[in-house]
Amino acid sequence: MLTRVLSWCLFGLGSTGALAAMKSEAVAYRLGYTDMAGVLVFDDATDTKRPGLLMVPNWYGVNDGQVEKAKAIAGSKYVIFIADVYGTSVRPTNNEEAGKAAGGMYQDRSVLRQRARAALDAFKGKATDAPIDLNRLGAIGFCFGGATVLELARDGIELAGIASFHGNLGADPKWPVTSIKTPILAMNGADDTYVPAEQISAFTNEMQGAGADFQFVNFGGAVHCFAEPDANSPGCLYNERAAKRGFQMMNNFFDDAFAKH
């Protein structure tokens, strides 16, 4: 169901391909003493090099649903690497476990940033096995993953672009930002109670102060999780209209960003 819904949302937006040709491959990597396992996703019907997107999933981390989402987004347009920022020993199965895992990462943004960078390095390391154009790399994230890719930007990463879907916008004052080198597209639900107006204002001021090339978009009538097809709870609910527009904006954003590289 997840793949069908996402495929419909992305149909005609330039991202879908023959899903039967989609390949997913587990990729083991390590940071310090932490073992991690991401997933590489791409259409192997052609060996034409294409842009790569690091995808940081929501607070549930790497799971089958996120692989299906990556397949639908990748199509024949992108190679996607699903990042594992928790480590192989942490695979949440319910909201309580997911909240604990994500909360631990928020407590130490330096570890979160290191693990996101480790995933990016693992992704780059697969360029000999997958048709990744290393000159055209970006990052996307959903919910907790959206917050994580924003942390990459705050950490000074240089990519073609970063797109956040309904991610937390709050910054940790222990890690002040002086400059941001990667263009940002931050998409938010206008009725998202998890992202209050004060957080949006602080984010805008932070981006302007850091000289960022950024866009912030509010989707009317949408709440948190609007781009998650399986989200169906108060305050965290899929919104077909916002999701379709969000993926269209994401594709347009990266089309423009990659054209400059």
Side-chain angles (χ1 to χ4, degrees):
M1 177 63 179
L2 178 63
T3 301
R4 291 201 301 273
V5 172
L6 271 169
S7 296
W8 187 91
C9 278
L10 297 169
F11 182 74
L13 304 186
S15 285
T16 54
L19 291 181
M22 297 305 295
K23 177 179 180 179
S24 61
E25 173 191 340
V27 179
Y29 57 105
R30 189 177 177 88
L31 178 63
Y33 296 103
T34 304
D35 291 318
M36 300 177 181
V39 180
L40 184 70
V41 173
F42 64 98
D43 181 347
D44 67 353
T46 172
D47 58 3
T48 301
K49 289 190 179 294
R50 67 210 75 158
L53 295 179
L54 179 73
M55 174 179 146
V56 186
N58 61 32
W59 65 350
Y60 273 79
V62 181
N63 58 32
D64 291 343
Q66 296 303 309
V67 173
E68 293 307 308
K69 175 186 286 187
K71 287 179 179 179
I73 295 171
S76 59
K77 184 165 186 168
Y78 307 113
V79 177
I80 291 182
F81 186 81
I82 306 172
D84 177 12
V85 298
Y86 291 153
T88 56
S89 64
V90 179
R91 290 291 185 265
T93 59
N94 55 54
N95 286 352
E96 182 178 357
E97 292 175 357
K100 182 178 179 180
M105 291 289 96
Y106 281 134
Q107 290 299 311
D108 194 338
R109 303 290 178 100
S110 66
V111 171
L112 182 58
R113 293 176 181 186
Q114 289 169 19
R115 293 188 178 183
R117 281 184 177 270
L120 183 61
D121 289 341
F123 186 18
K124 292 177 180 178
K126 298 300 292 184
T128 56
D129 306 315
I132 310 165
D133 183 348
L134 292 178
N135 293 315
R136 295 185 293 166
L137 295 177
I140 62 175
F142 300 84
C143 295
F144 165 72
T148 300
V149 294
L150 291 177
E151 284 302 309
L152 273 178
R154 292 179 174 117
D155 197 37
I157 200 81
E158 292 190 63
L159 297 171
I162 284 175
S164 169
F165 289 84
H166 42 77
N168 185 289
L169 304 174
D172 188 331
K174 298 193 295 292
W175 300 90
V177 175
T178 56
S179 67
I180 288 180
K181 303 171 184 176
T182 296
I184 292 172
L185 170 62
M187 293 170 282
N188 185 67
D191 295 335
D192 190 337
T193 57
Y194 297 105
V195 182
E198 295 78 11
Q199 190 179 106
I200 295 172
S201 178
F203 174 76
T204 300
N205 291 336
E206 177 192 21
M207 293 296 106
Q208 291 175 323
D213 174 2
F214 80 104
Q215 303 170 60
F216 177 80
V217 180
N218 250 340
F219 292 112
V223 296
H224 205 60
C225 313
F226 66 77
E228 302 279 14
D230 54 353
N232 187 27
S233 62
C236 182
L237 183 66
Y238 176 67
N239 184 298
E240 183 179 285
R241 180 182 65 189
K244 185 176 181 180
R245 290 176 179 175
F247 285 118
Q248 176 74 74
M249 288 183 182
M250 181 202 78
N251 282 320
N252 291 343
F253 170 72
F254 281 117
D255 283 346
D256 179 65
F258 292 139
K260 299 173 183 176
H261 285 70

